[in-house]
Amino acid sequence: AKSKVDTQIVLPNDTDWSDNSRKNTLERDLSYALQKGQFLLYYQPKLDIRENNLNVEALLRWNHQNFGLVPPNEFIPLAEQNQLIKIIGKWVIQQVCKDMKAFKKLNPNIKVAINISPVQLNDANFVEDIKKIIAKEKVDPGKIELEITESDLLHIPSAQKQFELLSNVGFRLVLDDFGTSYSSLNYLKELSVQKIKIDKSFIMNMDYHQKDQQIVQMIIKLAKNLDLEVTAEGVEKWKHIELLTKMDCNEIQGYYLSKPLPVLEIMKKLEENKIS
Ligand code: C2E
Ligand code: CA
Ligand code: CA
Ligand code: CA
């Protein structure tokens, strides 16, 4: 035991020993998490403020036997490294299609957003695979939004082609975290998307940062001019909603409305919205 302590002391101080062992454990356990049924989907509401329509985004969680709920930022990078994200991502799409049937009963106009990893999109079989799933589950692709994080596009050489194919199937394509990459405008020019999602870093402080407010205003105007819909994420205060409504933003998402919720709770929200 003593030698272990010694080893720890000589480690460079940027190496967090305990975190490293958590990472190793997660890496090891990830390969059978799917078989063990440890993945689940949370759903966060997104409110279309002009249509007063409640949509949702599916957000993946891993219920690990020792650590409890592990957030996606911690395990998705690991799943991308070893390609497991391809089968996990397929599970996500299948599960969303199943959940959508229940959601549709509460809101026939609901759109469900799914996050897609660059590793999935780079897979030559991706478009065929997702087509098969929606055909089997009899889901309308026009009700599915595929969210691709803007900064990931750098790692997807075939993005333009893939977007075109997905668009032809009828899926709605969304640029996520818009404004955070070095070539946001180029992507807007090259890719056929229906919607952009303004990154939360611009929204969260817009009530007191004039610069952020100006940037958000500009992005919304640009989106309108290009005939694109625009969502603001990271809406945490009433003041944000007020500002975004004035700016004619289409859709808002964030803790002010609701955190991501388990399926049963999101269904309660959809039910409430139906009555009101
Ligand atoms: P994202 O797609 O940008 O999702 C938004 C993240 O911001 C979510 O974190 C959400 O819980 C959080 N969020 C929502 N509203 C607020 C707010 O008002 N304030 C703040 N500070 N945060 C807010 P989450 O669920 O931990 O997901 C993190 C990221 O993991 C997602 O970022 C997405 O890139 C990725 N991810 C989640 N599910 C999947 C999935 O099924 N597949 C893939 N490939 N990636 C996923
Ligand atoms: Ca997203
Ligand atoms: Ca985002
Ligand atoms: Ca993000």
Side-chain angles (χ1 to χ4, degrees), residues 42-54:
Y42 271 40
Y43 288 92
Q44 187 176 33
K46 306 192 289 168
L47 181 67
D48 186 321
I49 44 183
R50 297 196 300 182
E51 313 270 330
N52 191 27
N53 190 39
L54 205 55

Side-chain angles (χ1 to χ4, degrees), residues 99-145:
D99 292 340
M100 267 179 94
K101 289 178 192 160
F103 298 165
K104 255 184 82 177
K105 290 187 183 139
L106 301 166
N107 177 10
N109 299 320
I110 195 167
K111 285 184 283 225
V112 183
I114 306 176
N115 291 286
I116 302 296
S117 152
V119 176
Q120 283 173 281
L121 210 55
N122 265 332
D123 184 346
N125 297 322
F126 178 71
V127 181
E128 283 311 309
D129 286 348
I130 191 170
K131 257 168 86 173
K132 267 184 221 149
I133 298 172
I134 60 157
K136 180 162 171 273
E137 300 290 340
K138 300 196 174 62
V139 165
D140 173 7
K143 299 286 188 209
I144 297 186
E145 299 191 322

Side-chain angles (χ1 to χ4, degrees), residues 57-59 113-116 147-149 174 176-177 197 233 253:
E57 173 178 8
L59 294 159
I114 306 176
N115 291 286
I116 302 296
E147 297 194 358
I148 293 104
T149 298
V174 182
D176 203 347
D177 297 0
K197 212 165 167 178
E233 64 172 18
Q253 176 178 13

Side-chain angles (χ1 to χ4, degrees), residues 5 42 82 85-86 89 94 108-109 127 201 223 254 267:
V5 173
Y42 271 40
N82 59 19
I85 191 66
K86 290 187 192 172
Q94 265 156 354
N109 299 320
V127 181
S201 61
M267 290 188 46

